[in-house]
Amino acid sequence: MKKNVLENNSEIIEIYDKLDLELSKINPGCNACGRCCHFNTYGHVLYTSNIEVNYILENVTAPPHDPNQNICPFLKDNVCTIRDFRMLGCRVFYCNPHYRIITKEVYIHSKYYNMMKEVARKNQIEWHYAPMMKLL
Ligand code: SF4
Ligand code: SF4
């Protein structure tokens, strides 16, 4: 029977470290204005996996939030309060249209999403991929 949580998050951390290294070479730029974390205003749905949400919730408590508002509850004063734990979808999103395409390729068609899925498969964890506000 499949489990719900990983016993060890080191494989998730390794994936994030690899991605951050790759993105640092592309250097898409972000002034951390927090606009894209207001999902409705930005017209954006942040998808993620259950294992990434579990990793966040093992490290921080989600603030009370109204899912209908569709603003990331981890955004405070337009700053991400969980930067070290944020999910793949946050790490690869850049509003710059040029880099948006590149980072989408890196994320969707390249290895990182599949790596995360493989962590779930290998560790016999259930895999769900859905809007973050539904998984919280
Ligand atoms: S990606 Fe763009 S909208 Fe989002 S925080 Fe960075 S600069 Fe702001
Ligand atoms: S986790 Fe951080 S970067 Fe991701 S949507 Fe929330 S506030 Fe923005």
Side-chain angles (χ1 to χ4, degrees):
M1 189 170 141
K2 291 199 169 177
K3 299 171 282 182
N4 285 320
V5 288
L6 282 171
E7 281 161 21
N8 180 336
N9 288 313
S10 60
E11 289 172 282
I12 291 185
I13 296 166
E14 205 177 304
I15 293 171
Y16 288 152
D17 287 347
K18 276 188 187 157
L19 172 63
D20 287 348
L21 182 65
E22 186 164 349
L23 287 174
S24 71
K25 291 176 190 155
I26 300 171
N27 191 20
C30 168
N31 65 12
C33 69
R35 272 192 306 128
C36 56
C37 310
H38 293 252
F39 308 129
N40 270 358
T41 316
Y42 208 81
H44 173 66
V45 180
L46 172 63
Y47 272 75
T48 191
S49 62
N50 56 318
I51 62 173
E52 291 178 272
V53 168
N54 289 344
Y55 171 58
I56 293 169
L57 297 179
E58 280 177 21
N59 287 285
V60 296
T61 304
H65 59 280
D66 173 1
N68 297 321
Q69 274 208 343
N70 224 5
I71 296 172
C72 180
F74 299 109
L75 187 72
K76 190 161 189 288
D77 299 329
N78 284 337
V79 173
C80 176
T81 55
I82 58 161
R83 198 166 165 77
D84 288 348
F85 312 118
R86 74 199 194 289
M87 50 224 102
L88 288 178
C90 304
R91 289 169 199 254
V92 300
F93 185 84
Y94 290 95
C95 58
N96 179 323
H98 175 62
Y99 291 112
R100 212 166 177 176
I101 294 163
I102 295 173
T103 53
K104 198 170 172 189
E105 292 282 318
V106 167
Y107 178 41
I108 304 289
H109 301 299
S110 171
K111 41 211 183 243
Y112 295 99
Y113 170 83
N114 287 331
M115 279 181 193
M116 205 56 85
K117 201 169 177 183
E118 178 61 13
V119 169
R121 191 201 61 77
K122 235 174 36 188
N123 291 279
Q124 297 192 301
I125 304 286
E126 286 179 38
W127 174 257
H128 302 290
Y129 187 70
M132 188 267 273
M133 298 297 281
K134 288 199 189 310
L135 289 177
L136 262 188

